[in-house]
Amino acid sequence: MHQGKTAESVLAAHRDRLRPVDRMIPEADPLPGPADGQEMLEVGGAHGLLTHVRVAADELEAVLGPLDRWELAPRVCGPDEMAALLTHWNQYLEGHPERPGEDSMAAVEWPSRDVEMTAVFRAFGFVPEFVMIGRLRGTDLVAEPGNVRVRRATPDDSDEVYALQMVETRFDAAVSGAVERDNTEELLRAQLAESLKLDEPMIWVAEYEGRVVGMHRGEEPSEPQQAWLATRITATPVAHLICQAVKEEYRGLGVGTSLANHVHTELDAMGIGAAVGYHAMFNPVSMPFWHRVGWRPYWNRWVRTPAV
């Protein structure tokens, strides 16, 4: 690091720089010491914890992208220091004994409103593939047609929920680095079956003219989930919503709006401080829809594939 730039001073500069950028982003914690599969990368005025994970092809997580994943959590004084850190990261990957191959990615998340950093990431070949968006409790609802019935899903809805989940999964694969693998259908069906056993699963369905034509799904809350979400947004507690899907022939009829309004109303009544979720940055359906119903960007997930 630059002379006098200790880890503590870099963290202080990192916090000071991002605090006015977006006050809903929590202040960064000090990076922990590296554990197995991790390495601390350091240059003048910047450091980052690099985590290397290999995802098994038979895990549901494999749907989300390449199997060989290198993810950096940076603390930097500014854009020049970020560029230096990314240069060092490139050199580290190129000389690594397990040099990343074709089925790999390098990823880093950074606050969406810090637009000054955009040119830095782009210069190193990163694309803002996904964005974490969020809605705060009490945000106004938008008008809806009123001819859509929304309710919690039950085990009787399993086939329709599964079919709608695959609509979303395949659409995501078309517009992002998500990957539909040979066992994706089997793994998703098993996961949904477990969720639908709950009395009030975090799954809602929308009926139009008596037919289930849409679905909204969230992640069941847990302590580890809330601890992670506390690093993403200052509101508490937070609901992590996974996906919403509407059958293509029923889009434009207000089904999605009715689903979102119903879920927002339920979460507000439960005292949920914010709802967050990811969508592909280049998804032409998600981006206009979620912004229209009161969500806005918080974090960009910058990805480079392959990693080198």
Side-chain angles (χ1 to χ4, degrees):
M1 294 188 181
H2 291 317
Q3 207 159 10
K5 288 290 185 183
T6 63
E8 291 77 14
S9 63
V10 169
L11 178 62
H14 178 100
R15 288 170 169 173
D16 289 344
R17 187 174 177 283
L18 290 180
R19 193 176 295 119
V21 169
D22 190 341
R23 295 186 181 275
M24 290 303 296
I25 298 293
E27 288 204 327
D29 293 327
L31 293 173
D36 288 344
Q38 296 182 320
E39 185 79 25
M40 189 68 74
L41 304 184
E42 298 184 62
V43 296
H47 58 278
L49 184 64
L50 179 62
T51 301
H52 181 208
V53 175
R54 290 188 183 276
V55 178
D58 60 355
E59 294 179 18
L60 189 54
E61 179 74 14
V63 175
L64 301 180
L67 301 181
D68 189 22
R69 303 177 185 181
W70 304 76
E71 306 205 21
L72 185 70
R75 302 290 185 266
V76 302
C77 294
D80 290 343
E81 291 79 8
M82 178 68 87
L85 182 61
L86 295 180
T87 298
H88 180 42
W89 186 13
N90 280 352
Q91 294 167 346
Y92 176 88
L93 291 176
E94 288 171 355
H96 198 279
E98 299 178 68
R99 191 179 191 276
E102 286 301 310
D103 193 6
S104 69
M105 74 173 186
V108 56
E109 291 200 359
W110 197 257
S112 301
R113 291 189 171 185
D114 187 12
V115 296
E116 191 177 3
M117 207 64 80
T118 297
V120 179
F121 290 124
R122 290 183 61 193
F124 284 82
F126 286 87
V127 174
E129 193 161 58
F130 291 95
V131 56
M132 174 182 269
I133 57 174
R135 172 194 179 270
L136 298 179
R137 182 185 182 192
T139 301
D140 290 341
L141 303 179
V142 300
E144 60 181 279
N147 56 351
V148 179
R149 178 187 176 225
V150 180
R151 58 175 174 79
R152 291 275 183 147
T154 72
D156 291 341
D157 300 308
S158 60
D159 286 344
E160 293 289 358
V161 167
Y162 165 74
L164 285 159
Q165 175 66 71
M166 289 308 300
V167 167
E168 193 273 345
T169 299
R170 287 173 176 144
F171 199 89
D172 237 12
V175 297
S176 75
V179 181
E180 183 184 354
R181 301 186 185 273
D182 292 342
N183 57 351
T184 294
E185 295 188 21
E186 176 187 350
L187 292 171
L188 278 173
R189 189 179 284 277
Q191 185 186 64
L192 290 168
E194 285 300 309
S195 295
L196 289 170
K197 290 177 183 178
L198 301 174
D199 291 337
E200 288 195 331
M202 288 285 283
I203 303 175
W204 294 261
V205 294
E207 295 179 345
Y208 184 86
E209 297 180 343
R211 297 184 60 191
V212 172
V213 299
M215 176 271 288
H216 190 115
R217 180 175 167 230
E219 181 185 15
E220 300 299 334
S222 68
E223 288 186 16
Q225 174 217 57
Q226 289 299 305
W228 167 66
L229 291 170
T231 69
R232 305 287 89 188
I233 189 169
T234 57
T236 57
V238 184
H240 183 211
L241 301 181
I242 301 172
C243 77
Q244 177 167 294
V246 175
K247 291 183 178 180
E248 186 173 4
E249 62 269 32
Y250 289 91
R251 292 175 190 160
L253 300 176
V255 176
T257 300
S258 296
L259 265 170
N261 280 357
H262 185 96
V263 173
H264 293 163
T265 300
E266 276 204 33
L267 296 179
D268 284 358
M270 291 163 58
I272 300 298
V276 300
Y278 285 89
H279 73 70
M281 182 69 82
F282 305 115
N283 187 325
V285 176
S286 289
M287 184 173 289
F289 175 81
W290 290 111
H291 294 187
R292 183 172 63 84
V293 296
W295 294 56
R296 63 108 161 154
Y298 284 91
W299 294 84
N300 286 356
R301 182 168 174 78
W302 294 86
V303 175
R304 185 176 63 206
T305 53
V308 175

